Amino acid sequence: MSCCPEPQIVTVTTCNTFNTDQAAGDTPGPVLIFSQATGSPSGYVTLTNFNASGDDANVSTDSTGLNIIATANPDNSVTVYVESLQELYVFSSTTGIQVLGQVTVQAIQTSRP
């Protein structure tokens, strides 16, 4: 038996809505929807694009929109596993076309007490 406490598994679930007409190359660009300040958790990301959206919604791990991890058509959702969650950005596939939806993150991280 060790004198040090065992690491703990911490899980966090967030659900954030979005409403944007910004595309990847636009200024100000994709909308920051999730940010992890410390550590590097892994987890599942679900992108839900509501039926009121006019175009596909995308989620990316970078602010330029180059590292797209999921794309969802209107009235659809996509779930992906991400090994290292730091930041997530959402954006429309087409400049000026409104997309509405939500991003749910289920993050898992090991923590030492």
Side-chain angles (χ1 to χ4, degrees):
M1 177 161 358
S2 173
C3 65
C4 298
E6 292 294 318
Q8 304 294 310
I9 302 293
V10 178
T11 60
V12 176
T13 300
T14 66
C15 183
N16 300 294
T17 59
F18 61 86
N19 181 351
T20 185
D21 64 355
Q22 296 294 304
D26 292 349
T27 301
V31 175
L32 178 65
I33 194 111
F34 174 85
S35 180
Q36 174 69 25
T38 59
S40 184
S42 59
Y44 291 94
V45 175
T46 300
L47 170 65
T48 302
N49 193 4
F50 296 156
N51 64 357
S53 291
D55 202 357
D56 295 347
N58 304 279
V59 64
S60 175
T61 57
D62 69 311
S63 62
T64 61
L66 295 177
N67 191 23
I68 297 172
I69 59 171
T71 299
N73 300 328
D75 204 24
N76 283 289
S77 64
V78 176
T79 300
V80 294
Y81 179 78
V82 180
E83 231 176 272
S84 179
L85 285 166
Q86 295 295 310
E87 294 180 333
L88 295 173
Y89 297 84
V90 294
F91 56 95
S92 176
S93 287
T94 308
T95 299
I97 304 295
Q98 204 74 24
V99 291
L100 307 113
Q102 68 184 21
V103 173
T104 304
V105 177
Q106 295 175 318
I108 304 161
Q109 185 171 7
T110 303
S111 175
R112 295 207 179 266

